[in-house]
Amino acid sequence: MRKIFSSRAVVTIIISLIVIVGLIAGSNWWAKRTNTPPFFQRFSNDLAGGVSRIISVPTTAIDRSANSIGNLLDTFEENRELKSKIDEFAQDKVRLQTVEEENKTLKNQLKLKATLTDYKTVSAVTISRSPTTWQSQLVINKGLKSGLKKGMPVLSGAGIIGRISEVNTTNSKVALISDTSEDANRFAITIKGGNGDVNGIVTDFNREKNQLIMSQVTSENQIKAGDLVETSGLGGVIPAGLYVGKVSSVTRDDYGLSKQINIEPAADLGNVTTVVVAVSQIGAQ
């Protein structure tokens, strides 16, 4: 049987073991003396630390990415909630403005009703107003069922805005005082001048300035800004004494032969939401 190890190999192994044991013993003795870990322990620790650093780099990057994505999602959610609150605030603001406008209009109507002692009043709401006929007519939600008839005056705010031109069962058309078309039945008005009344008709409407115009006035009676304008009752359609507005200014025509009276209407003809129809108590008897 062949020898597994030669004498030289055995001696080499023994010497190697003695050297290793000596290094370990010497390392421990030196570590205790210098208060530092043994060489082999430091080597193992350094190796483990290096491996940990290598592993921690992608781990840290993934963790940071996850945190960034989480923060981004949180930001999106907060942004959506804030937008929702802003939308709600805007809707509340619009509702508040609408209520305030309706409240103001209703207050004006209450004051108007107090002055119409000879009339029974029917309140109505504008349900239709076409852009093509904005200056000439609108539709309200009251008709024959409410006792309305053609020709009845319609008021809004503090003064007259038109008259009933067509009556249906549940709604009516209102011909506005600002209607200056050729086939319009013009409104007869009177101006309470300083030295006498001046009668005429509404001949035009300045939409840009929201002013009624009475032109071709030849009367020498004094008219100045601030004079009151009322319906004259001439023509027998609209009763006399309904408030129209105030004189804004007095100018001359292009030839200087007649006056042009610019009138600030009592009602905002561009914004009519609620109206009052005046039904004469005398006519009803």
Side-chain angles (χ1 to χ4, degrees):
M1 184 176 181
R2 296 177 60 184
K3 293 182 179 180
I4 299 175
F5 298 103
S6 64
S7 298
R8 183 179 293 178
V10 172
V11 172
T12 303
I13 292 172
I14 292 171
I15 293 172
S16 298
L17 289 173
I18 292 171
V19 171
I20 292 172
V21 171
L23 289 173
I24 293 172
S27 177
N28 289 334
W29 174 80
W30 181 258
K32 290 178 181 179
R33 187 174 181 180
T34 60
N35 293 323
T36 58
F39 171 76
F40 291 104
Q41 184 177 348
R42 282 188 286 124
F43 177 76
S44 299
N45 291 340
D46 291 339
L47 181 61
V51 173
S52 297
R53 282 195 295 271
I54 293 173
I55 295 174
S56 68
V57 171
T59 303
T60 302
I62 293 172
D63 185 58
R64 288 178 179 173
S65 299
N67 288 335
S68 298
I69 293 173
N71 292 334
L72 185 60
L73 292 175
D74 290 341
T75 301
F76 282 150
E77 184 64 26
E78 290 176 359
N79 187 47
R80 187 176 67 178
E81 291 178 359
L82 289 173
K83 282 185 176 180
S84 176
K85 290 181 180 179
I86 290 174
D87 291 341
E88 290 176 2
F89 175 74
Q91 292 172 4
D92 290 340
K93 186 176 181 181
V94 171
R95 282 194 290 267
L96 178 60
Q97 290 175 342
T98 302
V99 170
E100 288 178 345
E101 185 65 29
E102 289 178 353
N103 186 47
K104 181 180 178 182
T105 302
L106 291 173
K107 282 183 177 180
N108 288 332
Q109 283 193 6
L110 288 175
K111 294 178 182 178
L112 187 62
K113 287 181 179 180
T115 64
L116 297 174
T117 55
D118 295 333
Y119 297 89
K120 181 182 75 173
T121 58
V122 176
S123 297
V125 176
T126 301
I127 58 174
S128 176
R129 192 172 185 182
S130 171
T132 57
T133 57
W134 191 269
Q135 186 175 309
S136 58
Q137 71 176 26
L138 55 81
V139 180
I140 59 175
N141 67 339
K142 296 293 176 66
L144 290 173
K145 281 188 175 182
S146 300
L148 302 191
K149 296 180 181 179
K150 184 177 180 180
M152 288 181 173
V154 182
L155 304 97
S156 179
I160 188 170
I161 63 163
R163 58 173 161 251
I164 301 294
S165 60
E166 180 182 306
V167 186
N168 302 305
T169 304
T170 58
N171 61 72
S172 302
K173 286 184 180 180
V174 178
L176 298 176
I177 195 171
S178 55
D179 182 9
T180 56
S181 57
E182 291 183 359
D183 57 346
N185 189 0
R186 307 297 175 86
F187 281 75
I189 58 177
T190 183
I191 300 174
K192 300 296 182 179
N195 56 345
D197 295 348
V198 177
N199 293 316
I201 60 172
V202 176
T203 57
D204 205 351
F205 179 72
N206 188 327
R207 189 170 184 177
E208 186 176 324
K209 294 183 178 180
N210 190 35
Q211 290 182 344
L212 302 169
I213 297 174
M214 184 171 76
S215 58
Q216 299 177 354
V217 177
T218 58
S219 173
E220 294 300 323
N221 289 351
Q222 182 183 3
I223 302 172
K224 64 181 185 303
D227 286 346
L228 299 182
V229 183
E230 300 175 352
T231 54
S232 65
L234 299 177
V237 180
I238 296 295
L242 297 180
Y243 185 47
V244 176
K246 293 181 180 181
V247 173
S248 173
S249 61
V250 181
T251 58
R252 288 279 180 179
D253 64 10
D254 295 338
Y255 303 100
L257 301 177
S258 61
K259 300 174 185 176
Q260 175 177 296
I261 314 300
N262 302 308
I263 303 166
E264 191 76 30
D268 182 2
L269 299 175
N271 182 26
V272 180
T273 55
T274 59
V275 301
V276 171
V277 181
V279 181
S280 175
Q281 296 281 46
I282 298 174
Q285 293 177 350

